[in-house]
Amino acid sequence: MTSEPRVLQPSEWDTWYGALLSAFASQPTSEEHELYRSLTEVERSIGVWDEDRPVATAGLLSFRMTVPGGAVVPTAGVTMVSVAPTHRRRGLLRAMMRRQLDDVRTAGQEPFAVLTASEAAIYGRFGYGLAARFLSARIDTSRVALELPERTAAEAEALCLRQSDEAASLLAECEAVYARTVPRRPGMLQRRPGWERTPLLDPERSRAGASPLRCVVVLRDGEPVGYARYAVKLRWTETDAADGEVQLRELEALDPAGYAALWRFLWGIDLTTWIVAENRPLDDPWLHLVDDPRRCGTTVGDSLYLRPVDVGAALAARCYAAPVDVVLEVEDAFCPWNTGRWRLSGDEKGAVCEPTRDAADLSLSVRELGRAYLGGTSLTALAGAGLVDEKRPGSGALRTAAAAFASETEPWLPHGF
């Protein structure tokens, strides 16, 4: 066999996808199979073959993602990565990562690549840094009260709710709201045609006794201003008391009243005493509306990993929370074209970033730049860990750059890919 990846041919998709499924011990439904086939960009998918058998797979997806400042930027989404257990430790993953980043750079359209990792330790050596996290919660609604501000409660009361036990029936209303929320938070992805179907996937094998996916939409003057997709899992105690849970899959709203109306609805679903949310932003507003955060069972997990492919273009694609003029010395062993000094000058209106021979103010690796890029990880925190070096201590360069890179909202990836 050769370890050189090659581009997938359309006729090979089923075999290639089968190798991916084998690596993840997965058995999709026919609906999932057809959807993922339609979403695969075959011309951006690669594999390694041992004779006629694919033994490694990887793909790229053409996304557009929000960055700090609200711009929605072309983004390469790394997906469907696998190596057969019989062919590990042969450099196949490295070869595919090499090919992908070279291809993205050659195309010149996407300044960075993103991925979600099945194992967190895998991708740092290729320059990917953890750029966004998520919050999970298990809220005891029998003992935690939702305390809404008086004005918000009154406005929420005036809104209309439309609920359906078939989530797909309210798809258009949900997608209208989702599209308007995308520019508000770094890390959010525009839904390309077909991707609106992915949140509706609800295979019975994953329900573990819960209901099929349901949906509720909030309307103001007939127009949707929020929605939640959820399932209900009923349970009973030994004394036959209801102890069910609401499994929240997705919730978006355009304003505080719509947001409050949705949470109040979820809080009041009959026969349930729990709300279980698996993927929420770290700064989700409900955290400030509960009277007992200790009974909300919150945990934090890793979500989106980002790596600049073109440092100059990536840093120029976003805006900055405060004026900044700083020289960054970047080390990038895997993509050496990024290694060097870059002068970043920008503010809330935009930025430029170009190579320079001027003395560096800060030095860091491309992985740490990826961590800080969306504003969810502070350059100051990275410096405290010894991962960012202020070349002239006391110059204020670190403080200035950290303030500029910050985001007013926490970055968040609403769904996987």
Side-chain angles (χ1 to χ4, degrees), residues 253-283:
L254 301 180
D255 55 43
Y259 181 87
L262 290 169
W263 279 101
R264 189 169 60 180
F265 170 84
L266 297 173
W267 225 269
I269 292 177
D270 288 340
L271 306 179
T272 66
T273 56
W274 302 92
I275 294 176
V276 179
E278 296 182 353
N279 180 24
R280 299 301 304 160
L282 293 190
D283 57 353

Side-chain angles (χ1 to χ4, degrees), residues 113-412:
V114 297
L115 56 81
T116 60
S118 56
E119 295 184 69
I122 293 177
Y123 294 99
R125 64 186 185 271
F126 305 119
Y128 288 87
L130 176 56
R133 297 172 175 82
F134 68 90
L135 183 76
S136 295
R138 182 175 174 81
I139 307 169
D140 184 350
T141 55
S142 68
R143 304 182 72 173
V144 179
L146 190 66
E147 297 183 328
L148 302 180
E150 185 175 339
R151 177 179 175 180
T152 302
E155 292 177 355
E157 187 67 33
L159 300 175
C160 295
L161 296 176
R162 181 189 302 167
Q163 190 269 342
S164 175
D165 289 346
E166 297 181 1
S169 67
L170 295 172
L171 176 61
E173 291 86 345
C174 295
E175 290 306 302
V177 172
Y178 180 87
R180 292 178 63 184
T181 64
V182 167
R184 297 183 176 188
R185 186 182 291 277
M188 292 196 72
L189 301 173
Q190 279 187 346
R191 295 228 233 263
R192 295 186 63 197
W195 280 94
E196 76 282 355
R197 293 166 56 197
T198 59
L200 298 179
L201 290 174
D202 184 34
E204 189 168 354
R205 70 174 187 276
S206 299
R207 293 178 188 166
S211 71
L213 191 64
R214 301 177 176 183
C215 185
V216 60
V217 171
V218 182
L219 303 169
R220 178 182 288 111
D221 299 326
E223 295 297 320
V225 295
Y227 70 92
R229 289 172 172 144
Y230 65 97
V232 175
K233 183 175 183 178
L234 295 184
R235 284 198 305 254
W236 309 89
T237 69
E238 293 180 357
T239 58
D240 285 337
D243 191 36
E245 65 184 34
V246 178
Q247 299 175 350
L248 178 61
R249 307 283 178 80
E250 191 176 357
L251 186 151
E252 300 289 350
L254 301 180
D255 55 43
Y259 181 87
L262 290 169
W263 279 101
R264 189 169 60 180
F265 170 84
L266 297 173
W267 225 269
I269 292 177
D270 288 340
L271 306 179
T272 66
T273 56
W274 302 92
I275 294 176
V276 179
E278 296 182 353
N279 180 24
R280 299 301 304 160
L282 293 190
D283 57 353
D284 212 0
W286 71 263
L287 291 162
H288 307 290
L289 298 175
V290 294
D291 67 345
D292 190 350
R294 296 181 185 180
R295 296 187 183 276
C296 293
T298 55
T299 58
V300 174
D302 60 294
S303 178
L304 186 71
Y305 291 76
L306 183 150
R307 86 98 72 213
V309 178
D310 181 330
V311 164
L315 292 177
R318 56 158 291 179
C319 296
Y320 295 85
V324 63
D325 184 9
V326 65
V327 175
L328 304 173
E329 187 169 45
V330 178
E331 185 276 327
D332 190 347
F334 199 66
C335 295
W337 58 80
N338 285 322
T339 296
R341 296 173 186 169
W342 299 84
R343 178 173 289 278
L344 169 65
S345 300
D347 56 24
E348 62 182 9
K349 296 179 181 179
V352 294
C353 186
E354 298 175 340
T356 182
R357 294 184 178 180
D358 293 345
D361 297 305
L362 304 175
S363 65
L364 71 170
S365 75
V366 74
R367 185 184 68 170
E368 315 321 324
L369 195 59
R371 285 176 168 175
Y373 185 81
L374 294 179
T377 299
S378 166
L379 288 172
T380 303
L382 294 174
L387 298 171
V388 174
D389 181 28
E390 188 174 40
K391 305 303 287 186
R392 292 173 289 115
S395 66
L398 176 61
R399 181 177 63 252
T400 298
F405 270 77
S407 170
E408 63 182 23
T409 55
E410 286 283 346
W412 176 60

